[in-house]
Amino acid sequence: MSLIYSYLCTVIEKSKIIDIRSLSLDQIKDQLTALGEQGFRAKQIYEWIWVKSCVDFDQMSNLSKPLREKLKANFTINAVTVKESQISSDKTIKSSFWLYDNNIIEGVLIPAPERMTACVSSQVGCSLTCKFCATGYMDRKRNLNADEIYDQVVLISKQAEEHYGQPLTNIVYMGMGEPLLNYANMMKSVERITAPDGLNMAAKRITVSTAGIAKMIKKLGDDQVRFNLALSLHAANDKKRNEIMPINEQNSLKALAEALKYFYAKTKSPITFEYIVFNNFNDELEDAKELAKFCKHVPCKVNLIEYNPIALADFLNAEADKIEVFANYLKSQGIITNVRRSRGKDIDAACGQLAIKDKKEAESEA
């Protein structure tokens, strides 16, 4: 009985420990005051965790040792750590990250001559079941906390410095999960990444990508966000989009167009449409005409994306000449159009390929 009692006491005590990064500056100050410490120490701690990205209380060198011991006894820092990294032949780096509860997510560093881009995840898995995306075949286990998104940026930034001697320049929320279904944590992570008492990155260096949740796009407008918005469109008629993206059944193209117009009216920020060109599905001139028509709703640009096949789906990338005809038509209509080539395909780091595989799965696909 005494062993069971002792165990239960330990569990209860651990449950009382607070993740300090879940607290605001004022909340940390209140906690310190309750512990008999001076309130001004809160600002020092806040700087350690958000400006210096410190995840170890013992490294907070301008705090006294007794205070550091109190912090360790009453708080925790649920730091994300790198589990494994792979480097592609094109220098893209994909990393799997351990979370505090033993869940795993993936993030990618995409190096280019002019920029260093971090692609980060917002959820463990995804609930949207897009038919062409590896993450869509995973269950959504939970949302990521804001600090877990922040940590991905910090860790990928270190990789940029260590491997290529360059700082991180851009962040895209295009990894695992749907950012707008984790709205509060996504927004808090952006705030911590862009704040002067955070990583102090410019909001215009950040792009949040959505599969298309109309009411949340409107909320972005109401919140007058300063980061960029990208919509994963992939088809500009409802029949085809329903087929590959079930989310469209509740968020039709008409509803999305209205939401995007609302967003633009509030923010004056142009939209990026992401359009994967699938072989014999959405790669005809008629598809390009439908896309051009949809583009008239808001100031925008189009990224035509090379498809990266996955074992769970039968889609193939469109032929190069078809993509060229498609792009040229959009350009002829005055639409800014870029053709994006895959990066990190050989290590399953390219668009739509992020998914956690166990060792047996990896070996069976090899």
Side-chain angles (χ1 to χ4, degrees), residues 221-256:
D222 287 334
D223 289 337
Q224 297 187 333
V225 297
R226 294 179 295 117
F227 53 74
N228 303 301
L229 177 65
L231 174 65
S232 295
L233 193 59
H234 311 316
N237 74 60
D238 283 314
K239 184 176 181 297
K240 286 188 177 181
R241 201 163 190 268
N242 287 347
E243 187 176 335
I244 60 173
M245 302 179 73
I247 187 68
N248 194 70
E249 294 173 8
Q250 293 82 39
N251 295 267
S252 67
L253 290 170
K254 181 181 178 182
L256 289 176

Side-chain angles (χ1 to χ4, degrees), residues 36 45 116 121 130 146 170 201 220 228 231 270 288-289 332 342 366:
I45 295 167
M116 285 279 159
S121 294
C130 296
N170 295 78
M201 289 190 71
L220 289 174
N228 303 301
L231 174 65
K289 290 179 179 178
S332 76
S342 288

Side-chain angles (χ1 to χ4, degrees), residues 17-23 74-78 100 145 147:
I17 296 178
I18 301 168
D19 179 357
I20 199 165
R21 293 192 298 184
S22 70
L23 304 177
N74 291 277
F75 304 99
T76 188
I77 299 175
N78 291 326
Y100 75 94
N145 297 324
D147 51 276

